[in-house]
């Protein structure tokens, strides 16, 4: 290690050139990293939702929609506004109700009005002509906003919702705030002001390298893209602090070069050992079924490694280059002496330890009974964006629909009609839509998939019966349906969908010369059918749409989904039920396994690392029990307060909290065991340990808590906000237990620790002996 340290110091200029070149390359490659916005993209490939979404993306067109609530308008004004919006280019229709003179009073007093107009608020559903990410829909929603600029409105739509741009803007602000807080903390705990600049430059290098090297993964999630920089800063700035403090200690005895060599020689093993627990938590995340764990875990594991490399390879040049500035900016320490805290900890141990034991059991029970939510749109944050705010405001006055889809093999319209009919009778189902129930006449006697005779087609299209008969004969001849000529053509039935396609095609080929009005009607009918087909029928599959009332997730909702699936499976062997509710359903089923897997793997990984770090059998149990209790407490808070927790927060934060905050426990335990080996009495060892470890723990802990808190309170993205808030509470809880309970456990179990040091066999003069490690 000495040779490695000397090589790093003596070749620091070469290493600087390598880091600068790598940073430039990373800046260039960062733009080639694709950010995925949907969490559903990370569902396991074998889930029904993932398979169904893939089919829908490949085979169907989903036109953009927007729900707009306009407040403080009269009924007449709302109707006029709806008519104006329908004229905007790119808007295909506006769903609002229309009143007939005969039915005006009945509708005004009935339930139909309640679905659209209530307490001077009108709810308009706007349908666009293209998919939401196309320019026509984007321009249309902008025109709609401009047209309604003078009204009190709430827009609930994803057409112009750019989560990535909004989140990136917020994270820039968050990063600035976090840096300000971190600089303030470092100023308080530093020995020289110059170290703050060195730490920030080292971190900036590590962050740039991590962002740029994400291109090796091709894609990363918006969650990882948003939080990786701040988490890297909070998790890995310790390494720079450890290295610099080692250097300052050595500098009191030798010159700058030798001090730096010694600091690297001692610091590299120490930092690598410290980082292993954090990396272990990240690796545990990578074993989640839900792909977001792999995404975040591998990026953060890489971030830790690159942070260490920056400390080992880039930081030495900065220290050597700014040696004089470091000397000139020395100042007294602002960290207070806290010997009184150690005395207090020992004085209250007979009270706090029994309480800790009770809290361990109770929090373990409560955390296992926490109510989890799986729908990202159901997570509320301290600051809410327009999308979430509009959803909340609209849902207070109107029922918000939960739209679902059933994907089945296409072609069997009778089965589709039967499924739609049976699903429509379920209690929670409000409406159904499919080619097999799209009506084509005012009397709702026929649907698009019905096979009609010439007379029936003439009745609903107002085409002359003789013309229709001619069309039927021509169709039968072209399609080689010669049986139609054996009997009367009036008895020949052709599916309406097929006939509309045929008539439009022949009209386009100028086979028939229809008058202008009839040609316009044919084109309008064909466009309507084409729109329906784009949305409801693909090359191999049909899509049946239904809307549900009530909550998006929960046992009752999941029970309805199961019932819908069972109905569809009576008619088809291949069925996919897709929507927000099924996504939540799939996530809820994988959560239990992911939860157990991550909890066990993180604890085992960390315990093994601790064993090899301390070479003691009891210390890993004490440390893991302390941090695991802080995790239990963190996740029992929602159960006590009667609130719900976002499942992803639990999975990710539990792993990060164990992997990262165990370092605080390692600092305390290492110092305590060193003092005990030196013969210091255990009570004095506790007092000295807490006093000497306080600067390290308060620096690292405050940085992580503050960074996570700022994320939770600043971002409007509910997923990111939930992660930040949960991590802030978890880190703070860990600090409290490490500074209060852990020293008491070390004191009480001191004799057990002394008896459980691992023995190792050594060779002396060719003879084997035994010695304590």
């Amino acid at each position: 290690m000495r040779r490695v340290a000397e090589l790093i110091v003596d070749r620091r200029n070469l290493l600087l050139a390598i880091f600068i070149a790598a940073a430039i390359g990373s800046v260039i490659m960062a733009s080639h990293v694709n950010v995925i916005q949907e969490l559903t993209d990370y569902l396991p490939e074998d889930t029904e939702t993932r398979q169904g979404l893939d089919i829908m993306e490949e085979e169907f067109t989903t036109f953009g929609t927007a729900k707009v609530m306009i407040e403080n308008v009269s009924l007449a004004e709302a109707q006029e506004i709806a008519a104006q919006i329908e004229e905007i280019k790119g808007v295909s229709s506006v769903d609002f109700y229309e009143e007939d003179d005969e039915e005006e009073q009945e509708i005004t007093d009935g339930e139909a009005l309640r679905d659209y107009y209530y307490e001077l608020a009108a709810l308009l559903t706007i349908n666009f002509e293209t998919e939401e990410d196309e320019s026509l829909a984007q321009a249309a929603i902008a025109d709609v906003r401009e047209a309604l600029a003078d009204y009190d409105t709430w827009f609930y739509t994803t057409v112009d919702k750019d989560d990535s741009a909004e989140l990136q803007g917020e994270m820039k602000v968050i990063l600035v705030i976090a840096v300000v807080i971190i600089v303030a903390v470092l100023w308080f705990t530093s020995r020289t002001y110059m170290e703050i600049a060195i730490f920030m430059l080292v971190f900036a290098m590590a962050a740039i390298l991590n962002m740029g090297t994400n291109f090796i993964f091709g894609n990363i999630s918006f969650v990882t893209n948003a939080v990786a920089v701040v988490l890297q800063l909070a998790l890995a700035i310790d390494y720079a602090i450890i290295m610099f403090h080692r250097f300052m200690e050595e500098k009191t005895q030798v010159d700058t070069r030798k001090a730096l060599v010694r600091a690297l020689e001692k610091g590299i093993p120490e930092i690598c050992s410290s980082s292993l627990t954090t990396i272990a938590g990240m690796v545990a995340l990578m074993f989640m079924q839900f792909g977001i764990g792999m995404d975040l875990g591998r990026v953060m594991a890489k971030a830790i490694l690159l942070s260490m490399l920056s400390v080992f390879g880039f930081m030495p040049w900065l220290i050597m280059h700014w040696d004089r500035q470091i000397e000139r900016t020395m100042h007294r320490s602002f960290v207070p002496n806290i010997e009184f805290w150690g005395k207090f900890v020992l004085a209250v141990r007979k009270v706090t330890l029994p309480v800790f034991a009770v809290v361990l059991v109770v929090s373990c029970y409560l955390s296992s009974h926490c109510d989890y939510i799986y729908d990202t749109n159901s997570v509320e944050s301290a600051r809410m964006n327009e999308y979430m705010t509009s959803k909340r405001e609209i849902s207070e006055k109107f029922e918000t629909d939960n739209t679902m889809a059933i994907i089945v093999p296409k072609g069997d319209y009778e089965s589709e009609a039967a499924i739609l009919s049976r699903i429509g009778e379920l209690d929670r189902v409000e409406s159904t839509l499919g080619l097999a129930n799209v009506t084509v006449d005012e009397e709702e006697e026929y649907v698009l998939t019905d096979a009609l005779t010439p007379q029936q087609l003439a009745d609903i299209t107002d085409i002359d019966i003789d013309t229709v008969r001619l069309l039927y004969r021509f169709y039968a001849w072209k399609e080689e349906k010669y049986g139609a000529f054996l009997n009367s053509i009036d008895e020949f039935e052709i599916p309406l969908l097929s006939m509309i396609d045929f008539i439009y095609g022949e009209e386009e080929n100028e086979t028939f010369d229809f008058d202008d009005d009839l040609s316009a009607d044919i084109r309008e009918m064909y466009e309507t059918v084409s729109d329906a087909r784009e949305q409801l029928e693909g090359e191999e599959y049909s899509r049946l749409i239904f809307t549900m009332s009530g909550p998006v997730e929960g046992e009752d909702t999941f029970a309805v989904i199961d019932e819908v699936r069972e109905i569809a499976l009576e008619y088809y062997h291949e069925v996919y039920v897709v929507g927000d509710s099924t996504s939540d359903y799939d996530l809820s089923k994988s959560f239990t396994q992911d939860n157990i897997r991550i909890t066990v793997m993180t604890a085992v990984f960390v315990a093994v690392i601790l064993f090899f770090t301390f070479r003691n059998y009891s210390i890993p149990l004490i440390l893991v029990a302390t941090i695991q209790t802080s995790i239990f407490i963190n996740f029992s808070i929602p159960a006590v307060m009667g609130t719900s927790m976002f499942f992803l927060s639990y999975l990710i934060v539990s792993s990060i909290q164990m992997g990262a905050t165990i370092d605080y426990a390692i600092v305390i335990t290492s110092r305590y065991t060193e003092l005990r080996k030196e013969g210091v009495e255990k009570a004095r060892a506790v007092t000295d340990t807490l006093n000497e470890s306080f600067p390290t723990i308060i620096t690292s802990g405050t940085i992580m808590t503050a960074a996570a808190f700022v994320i939770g309170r600043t971002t409007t993205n509910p997923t990111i906000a939930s992660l930040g808030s949960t991590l802030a509470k978890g880190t703070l809880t860990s600090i409290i237990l490490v500074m209060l309970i852990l020293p008491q456990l070390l004191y009480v179990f001191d004799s057990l620790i002394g008896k459980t040091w691992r023995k190792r066999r050594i060779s002396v003069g060719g003879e084997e002996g035994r010695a304590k490690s």
Side-chain angles (χ1 to χ4, degrees):
M1 194 57 66
R2 170 64 66 90
R3 289 195 295 271
V4 171
E6 290 176 345
L7 181 65
I8 290 173
V9 175
D10 294 339
R11 296 289 186 270
R12 60 185 180 275
N13 290 328
L14 174 61
L15 290 174
L16 174 67
I18 293 173
F19 271 93
I20 292 176
I24 294 173
S26 294
V27 170
I28 296 173
M29 296 309 300
S31 61
H32 296 277
V33 179
N34 181 41
V35 179
I36 297 178
Q37 301 298 326
E38 297 295 333
L39 288 178
T40 51
D41 288 353
Y42 291 93
L43 286 169
E45 292 294 333
D46 59 350
T47 59
E48 181 179 342
T49 302
R50 176 70 268 149
Q51 295 174 4
L53 287 171
D54 289 341
I55 292 172
M56 287 206 303
E57 183 176 352
E58 182 178 345
E59 296 220 352
F60 302 103
T61 298
T62 303
F63 296 140
T65 62
K67 285 186 178 294
V68 181
M69 184 173 73
I70 309 172
E71 295 187 303
N72 302 314
V73 292
S74 66
L75 184 60
E77 287 178 310
Q79 290 176 316
E80 184 178 346
I81 291 171
Q84 292 175 353
I85 293 176
E86 201 161 21
E87 296 300 318
I88 292 176
K89 182 180 179 181
V91 174
S92 62
S93 65
V94 177
D95 293 340
F96 204 52
Y97 65 90
E98 298 178 358
E99 296 175 337
D100 295 330
D101 292 339
E102 299 177 358
E103 299 178 350
E104 180 174 352
Q105 188 62 39
E106 179 183 349
I107 293 179
T108 302
D109 295 340
E111 294 183 0
L113 178 63
R114 178 66 181 82
D115 294 334
Y116 301 97
Y117 187 81
Y118 180 68
E119 293 183 348
L120 297 179
L123 180 63
L124 281 63
T125 300
I126 302 173
N127 302 301
F128 297 95
E129 294 180 357
T130 63
E131 295 187 28
E132 62 181 33
D133 57 349
E134 295 187 18
S135 58
L136 184 59
Q138 297 287 317
I141 191 66
D143 291 341
V144 171
R145 287 184 181 273
E146 184 179 351
L148 300 177
D150 296 331
Y151 296 92
D152 297 327
T153 56
W154 300 98
F155 280 78
Y156 180 49
T157 179
T158 57
V159 173
D160 58 351
K161 180 171 177 277
D162 191 346
D163 285 332
S164 180
E166 184 177 11
L167 188 56
Q168 287 304 306
E170 292 174 350
M171 292 310 296
K172 290 177 183 177
V173 175
I174 289 171
L175 186 59
V176 171
I177 297 173
V179 168
V180 171
I181 294 173
I182 290 168
V183 169
V185 173
L186 293 175
W187 176 84
F188 178 75
T189 60
S190 66
R191 302 178 190 180
T192 168
Y193 295 123
M194 201 63 207
E195 71 180 80
I196 299 175
I198 292 175
F199 292 164
M200 290 295 99
L201 286 173
V202 171
F203 166 72
M205 175 62 72
I208 291 171
L209 294 178
N210 193 47
M211 288 188 291
T213 52
N214 284 334
F215 82 91
I216 64 178
F217 304 131
N219 302 318
I220 63 171
S221 71
F222 75 93
V223 174
T224 301
N225 189 55
V227 303
V229 174
V230 180
L231 282 182
Q232 183 180 6
L233 175 58
L235 291 173
I237 200 167
D238 283 1
Y239 310 147
I241 295 173
I242 292 172
M243 179 62 67
F244 191 83
H245 286 181
R246 280 285 185 186
F247 166 76
M248 294 300 291
E249 290 174 6
E250 299 294 337
K251 185 72 184 301
T252 60
Q253 303 174 22
V254 295
D255 61 33
T256 300
R257 180 188 175 281
K258 289 183 179 180
L260 191 53
V261 169
R262 289 184 181 182
L264 285 166
E265 180 184 358
K266 298 176 182 179
I268 290 176
E270 182 181 353
I271 292 171
C272 289
S273 177
S274 174
S275 70
L276 285 177
T277 55
T278 306
I279 293 175
M282 301 303 104
V283 171
L285 278 178
M286 294 165 65
F287 286 89
M288 283 174 55
Q289 290 186 31
F290 189 33
I292 197 72
M294 172 63 77
D295 182 76
L296 181 61
R298 65 189 183 184
V299 170
M300 290 311 303
K302 177 166 61 69
I304 301 301
L305 292 173
L306 290 172
S307 295
M308 286 195 298
L309 290 176
S310 298
V311 169
F312 300 154
F314 178 60
M315 190 174 180
W317 186 91
L318 296 175
I319 293 175
M320 291 291 290
H321 185 69
W322 285 333
D323 182 46
R324 292 182 180 179
Q325 288 81 356
I326 292 173
E327 292 286 348
R328 292 173 182 172
T329 56
M330 294 286 293
H331 64 83
R332 69 178 181 86
S333 175
F334 300 111
V335 180
N337 184 297
I338 62 164
E339 286 190 5
F340 71 91
W341 178 253
K343 297 176 182 178
F344 171 78
V345 167
L346 292 176
V348 299
R349 69 182 185 279
K350 294 182 179 180
V351 176
T352 54
L353 284 180
V355 172
F356 172 74
V358 173
V359 169
L360 170 59
V361 175
V362 173
S363 61
C364 177
Y365 173 81
L366 290 176
S367 64
S368 65
H369 288 75
C370 180
D371 184 23
Y372 296 100
I373 55 178
Y374 304 91
D375 182 52
T376 55
N377 293 326
S378 299
V379 183
E380 295 193 358
S381 54
R383 292 181 63 241
M384 297 178 64
N385 55 27
E386 182 195 41
Y387 182 81
M388 295 299 297
T389 304
S390 297
K391 178 187 177 182
R392 182 183 62 188
E393 293 295 326
I394 292 174
S395 63
E396 288 179 357
K397 291 187 177 182
F398 300 98
E399 184 81 32
T400 54
D401 295 330
N402 176 21
T403 303
M404 306 285 292
I406 309 169
I407 311 299
V408 296
K410 79 168 189 178
D412 188 349
Y413 295 129
E414 291 185 5
S415 295
E416 292 180 23
I419 292 172
L420 292 169
S421 177
R422 291 180 60 183
I423 290 176
E425 296 174 358
L426 299 178
D427 290 338
R428 292 273 302 277
V429 175
E430 296 293 314
S431 64
T432 61
L433 176 65
L435 288 179
N437 73 347
V438 175
T439 58
V440 294
D441 60 334
E442 295 181 358
E443 288 76 19
E444 299 187 0
E445 184 177 354
Y446 303 115
V447 296
L448 279 176
T449 56
D450 283 341
L452 305 183
T453 63
Q455 186 61 57
Q456 291 169 330
L457 181 62
D459 292 340
I460 64 174
T461 59
D462 293 329
I463 302 177
D464 178 72
I465 183 62
D466 292 330
T467 302
V468 173
R469 286 173 179 150
L470 180 60
L471 290 171
Y472 266 60
R473 290 190 181 96
F474 195 57
Y475 176 92
W477 175 72
K478 290 200 69 172
E479 297 296 322
E480 300 181 355
K481 304 287 185 181
Y482 302 119
F485 298 101
L486 298 178
N487 300 312
S488 172
I489 196 67
D490 290 332
E491 298 177 6
F492 185 37
E493 295 181 343
I494 301 175
L496 181 56
L497 275 173
S498 302
M499 201 60 199
I500 291 174
D501 289 340
F502 173 74
I503 295 175
Y504 176 79
E506 296 306 320
E507 200 268 345
E508 286 291 294
N509 293 332
E510 299 182 356
T511 305
F512 296 96
D513 185 18
F514 298 115
D515 61 56
D516 293 341
D517 291 340
L518 183 54
S519 292
D521 290 341
I522 291 172
R523 288 192 178 88
E524 182 179 355
M525 204 176 344
Y526 178 78
E527 290 173 0
T528 301
V529 171
S530 295
D531 286 346
R533 270 185 161 156
E534 280 189 67
Q535 299 178 76
L536 301 174
E537 189 174 62
E539 293 184 4
E540 297 182 10
Y541 295 91
S542 290
R543 179 164 62 173
L544 313 180
I545 307 294
F546 67 99
T547 56
M548 294 173 56
S549 60
V552 176
E553 59 182 296
E555 292 184 4
D556 292 341
T557 301
F558 297 157
V560 174
I561 292 173
D562 285 336
E563 194 170 356
V564 167
R565 185 181 296 105
E566 290 173 2
I567 290 173
L569 285 171
E570 292 181 20
Y571 300 88
Y572 296 94
H573 294 296
E574 185 181 7
V575 172
Y576 306 94
V577 183
V578 184
D580 288 341
S581 294
T582 57
S583 174
D584 301 337
Y585 195 8
D586 288 338
L587 291 173
S588 69
K589 289 189 291 186
S590 67
F591 171 70
T592 301
Q593 294 180 354
D594 281 342
N595 182 18
I596 296 174
R597 181 183 291 110
I598 289 177
T599 301
V600 172
M601 292 184 67
T602 304
V604 170
F605 287 166
V606 169
V608 170
I609 292 169
L610 291 176
F611 172 75
F612 284 104
T613 300
F614 291 99
R615 295 183 177 275
N616 187 286
Y617 294 102
S618 58
I619 287 178
L621 299 177
I622 295 173
L623 269 58
V624 170
T626 302
I627 302 301
Q628 188 61 56
T629 302
S630 72
I631 295 173
F632 287 151
I633 293 173
N634 189 20
F635 295 118
S636 63
I637 293 174
V640 173
M641 298 182 65
T643 57
S644 299
M645 171 168 285
F646 186 42
F647 84 104
L648 199 57
S649 298
Y650 184 98
L651 293 174
I652 292 177
V653 172
S654 62
S655 182
I656 293 178
Q657 188 176 341
M658 173 61 79
T661 63
I662 196 75
D663 284 351
Y664 312 155
I666 293 174
V667 170
I668 293 284
T669 306
S670 297
R671 184 71 67 176
Y672 177 82
T673 54
E674 286 174 8
L675 291 174
R676 290 293 288 141
K677 288 177 181 180
E678 293 172 3
V680 179
E681 190 269 329
K682 63 178 184 178
R684 185 64 191 176
V686 167
T687 304
D688 290 349
T689 293
L690 289 172
N691 189 49
E692 294 171 8
S693 302
F694 177 68
T696 301
I697 294 176
I698 197 64
T699 302
S700 178
T702 302
I703 287 173
M704 178 172 285
T705 303
F709 178 80
V710 169
I711 291 174
R713 302 299 297 182
T714 305
T715 182
T716 60
N717 185 285
T719 302
I720 307 300
S722 177
L723 291 175
S725 299
T726 307
L727 183 58
K729 291 183 291 184
T731 305
L732 185 59
T733 305
S734 294
I735 294 173
I736 293 172
L737 292 191
V738 165
M739 291 294 293
L740 176 63
I741 300 299
L742 179 59
Q744 296 172 347
L745 292 174
L746 294 173
Y747 180 89
V748 170
F749 293 108
D750 182 82
S751 60
L752 175 63
I753 293 172
K755 296 175 182 179
T756 54
W757 292 104
R758 179 178 178 269
K759 296 179 180 180
R760 60 182 178 182
R761 189 176 302 274
I762 60 175
S763 177
V764 180
E767 297 181 359
E768 290 190 345
R770 299 186 65 84
K772 290 184 178 180
S773 60

